[in-house]
C-alpha cells in the first residue's frame, strides 16, 4: 500500500499517545480550536524581517502548541511561577503555550528555509507556515535548500504535500549526517514504543522526497555563503544550529535548544521528555548560553516566543532572554 501523508496522518489521529496533547486542552480551547479563528492567533502578521549584516532573515510563524507540564524534566511549579513572572509572561497551570517558528535566510545567491513546522495532529493551531510564507512574499519555488536543525515531527511538516511530493520543488535538503542516520536507523525505530513510531515514520516520509538531493554534514561545516553548522547535541544526537555571519554581525539559529523561554533561561537544567539525551541537552544549552552571552551574539529559536529572535544575558545563577528590537531593516 502506498503511504501518503494523508494516510499516515489519518492513522496517527487514532494513535492514543499522539492524541494525548488534545486531551489537555480545556473546554474553552476545544471550542476555539473548532471555530474558524485560531485560539492563539498572533496580533500581528505571521512573519518578521530582520538583518544580519547584509543577509536578510525572515522569521515565519507556523503556530502554537500547548505542551503539558508533565513533559518538562525538572519542573517545579513554584519555581516556574517565579521565572514566568520574571519574563513578563502569563503563568498557565498544566500546560504551556509555545511558539513554532521557522526562518528563511536570503544570502543573495540562495534562499534557505530552516525547518518546516508542525503537523495539525499535534495541535489545532499549527500548520500555518505556508500561508505566512506567502504573506511574506516568498514563493516556495524560490527556496534553494531546506536546512534542518533536526528531523523531529514538529520540524518537517511543510516539506511535503498530502501526496508526499515536494512543496519546495527546486530545493535540496541539508542535515547532519548523524541526524539522518538516527532517523533512518531501524534499531532506533524498534526501540521506540509502538505509539510513537508514527512520529519517526512521519519524519522519514517528509524527507524522502528530498533524499536524492541531500547534503549531509559533520561537525562545523560551511554550508552556504555566510552560513555554517554548529553541533548542538542532546535533544537529538544530530541536533544542529546554524550560524549566520555577515560583516560584524552574527546570529545562531539554535533549533530546539530551548522549548520554554519562560523557564529554561532561568533554569537551564530543565529539559523535555523528548530529549534523546537530556543531560547532554542541558550541557549543550548551558555551554551555548555562555558562548552567545559572552559574544553578544543574536539567537533565534524554533520554540522561543515568535519571532523568537533575541539575546541571552547572564542573570544570577542562570540566564535571561532579551527580545531583539523590531526595527526597519
Ligand atoms: Zn521542536
Amino acid at each position: 500500500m502506498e503511504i501518503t501523508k494523508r494516510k499516515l496522518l489519518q492513522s496517527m489521529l487514532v494513535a492514543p499517545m499522539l492524541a494525548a496533547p488534545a486531551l489537555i486542552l480545556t473546554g474553552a480551547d476545544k471550542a476555539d480550536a473548532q471555530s474558524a479563528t485560531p485560539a492563539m492567533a498572533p496580533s500581528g502578521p505571521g512573519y518578521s524581517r530582520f538583518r544580519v549584516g547584509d543577509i536578510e532573515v525572515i522569521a515565519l510563524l507556523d503556530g502554537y502548541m500547548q505542551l503539558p507540564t508533565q513533559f518538562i524534566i525538572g519542573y517545579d511549579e513554584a519555581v516556574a511561577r517565579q521565572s514566568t513572572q520574571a519574563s513578563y509572561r502569563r503563568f498557565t497551570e498544566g500546560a504551556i503555550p509555545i511558539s513554532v517558528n521557522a526562518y528563511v535566510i536570503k544570502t543573495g545567491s540562495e534562499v534557505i528555509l530552516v525547518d518546516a513546522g508542525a503537523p495539525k495532529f499535534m495541535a489545532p493551531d499549527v500548520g500555518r507556515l505556508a500561508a505566512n510564507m506567502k504573506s511574506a512574499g516568498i514563493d516556495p519555488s524560490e527556496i534553494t535548500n531546506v536546512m534542518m536543525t533536526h528531523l523531529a515531527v514538529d520540524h518537517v511538516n511543510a516539506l511535503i504535500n498530502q501526496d508526499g511530493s515536494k512543496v519546495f520543488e527546486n530545493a535540496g535538503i541539508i542535515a547532519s549526517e548523524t541526524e539522518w542516520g538516527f532517523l533512518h536507523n531501524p534499531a532506533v525505530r524498534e526501540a521506540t514504543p509502538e505509539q510513537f513510531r508514527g512520529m519517526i515514520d512521519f519524519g522519514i516520509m517528509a524527507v524522502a522526497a528530498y533524499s536524492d538531493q541531500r547534503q549531509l554534514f559533520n561537525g562545523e561545516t560551511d554550508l552556504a555563503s555566510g552560513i555554517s553548522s554548529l553541533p548542538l547535541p542532546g535533544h537529538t544526537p544530530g541536533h544542529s544550529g546554524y550560524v549566520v555571519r555577515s560583516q560584524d554581525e552574527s546570529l545562531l539559529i539554535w533549533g530546539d535548544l530551548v522549548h520554554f523561554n519562560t523557564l529554561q533561561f532561568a533554569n537551564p537544567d530543565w529539559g523535555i521528555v523528548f530529549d534523546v539525551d537530556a543531560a547532554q541537552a542541558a550541557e549543550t544549552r548551558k555551554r551555548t548560553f555562555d558562548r552567545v552571552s559572552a559574544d553578544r551574539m543574536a539567537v533565534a529559536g524554533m520554540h522561543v516566543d515568535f519571532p523568537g529572535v533575541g539575546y541571552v544575558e547572564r542573570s544570577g545563577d542562570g540566564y535571561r532572554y532579551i527580545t531583539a528590537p523590531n526595527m526597519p531593516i
Side-chain angles (χ1 to χ4, degrees), residues 43-298:
S43 54
Y47 65 91
S48 176
R49 292 176 198 281
F50 57 104
R51 254 185 335 111
V52 180
D54 292 331
I55 296 178
E56 183 184 355
V57 182
I58 301 119
L60 297 171
L61 178 68
D62 185 58
Y64 296 93
M65 296 195 287
Q66 295 269 6
L67 285 190
T69 52
Q70 302 99 285
F71 288 3
I72 304 171
I73 299 168
Y75 188 75
D76 175 302
E77 190 174 304
V79 176
R81 272 184 194 277
Q82 204 173 33
S83 49
T84 304
Q85 191 179 31
S87 54
Y88 297 92
R89 184 101 93 77
R90 187 178 300 125
F91 180 77
T92 51
E93 260 175 57
I96 297 177
I98 67 164
S99 180
V100 180
N101 309 324
Y103 298 90
V104 166
I105 308 168
K106 291 187 168 180
T107 66
S109 55
E110 284 209 64
V111 182
I112 295 160
L113 172 66
V114 186
D115 289 5
K120 283 271 183 199
F121 67 78
M122 296 190 76
D125 192 29
V126 292
R128 291 191 273 134
L129 183 69
N132 285 331
M133 185 181 268
K134 194 176 173 192
S135 302
I138 303 161
D139 190 273
S141 65
E142 285 178 64
I143 303 294
T144 52
N145 267 308
V146 290
M147 221 175 238
M148 308 304 297
T149 64
H150 61 307
L151 301 172
V153 65
D154 62 315
H155 294 254
V156 298
N157 180 58
L159 294 180
I160 52 168
N161 297 304
Q162 293 288 0
D163 63 358
S165 62
K166 288 167 91 168
V167 168
F168 306 106
E169 56 203 35
N170 299 317
I173 192 166
I174 298 176
S176 131
E177 185 166 9
T178 305
E179 187 69 11
W180 191 274
F182 180 71
L183 179 75
H184 293 91
N185 184 345
V188 171
R189 189 178 186 281
E190 195 62 33
T192 302
E194 180 120 29
Q195 66 266 37
F196 290 116
R197 287 181 193 161
M199 291 185 158
I200 295 173
D201 295 339
F202 191 86
I204 291 171
M205 181 183 54
V207 302
Y210 297 81
S211 186
D212 57 353
Q213 286 164 274
R214 68 183 186 267
Q215 181 187 343
L216 304 181
F217 62 81
N218 287 292
E220 295 185 35
T221 304
D222 289 334
L223 297 166
S225 172
I227 307 176
S228 57
S229 57
L230 178 68
L232 299 172
H235 179 55
T236 61
H239 182 255
S240 300
Y242 295 103
V243 178
V244 182
R245 284 183 200 283
S246 176
Q247 301 189 30
D248 58 348
E249 296 184 350
S250 59
L251 167 78
L252 169 62
I253 301 179
W254 70 25
D256 280 16
L257 192 79
V258 168
H259 288 87
F260 307 97
N261 52 261
T262 53
L263 306 177
Q264 287 175 300
F265 289 101
N267 311 286
D269 285 322
W270 292 13
I272 187 163
V273 292
F274 303 116
D275 288 336
V276 174
D277 184 335
Q280 188 186 36
E283 277 311 306
T284 297
R285 190 157 39 247
K286 288 184 279 192
R287 190 177 65 241
T288 307
F289 286 174
D290 280 342
R291 176 177 169 181
V292 297
S293 57
D295 293 354
R296 293 174 63 88
M297 192 177 193

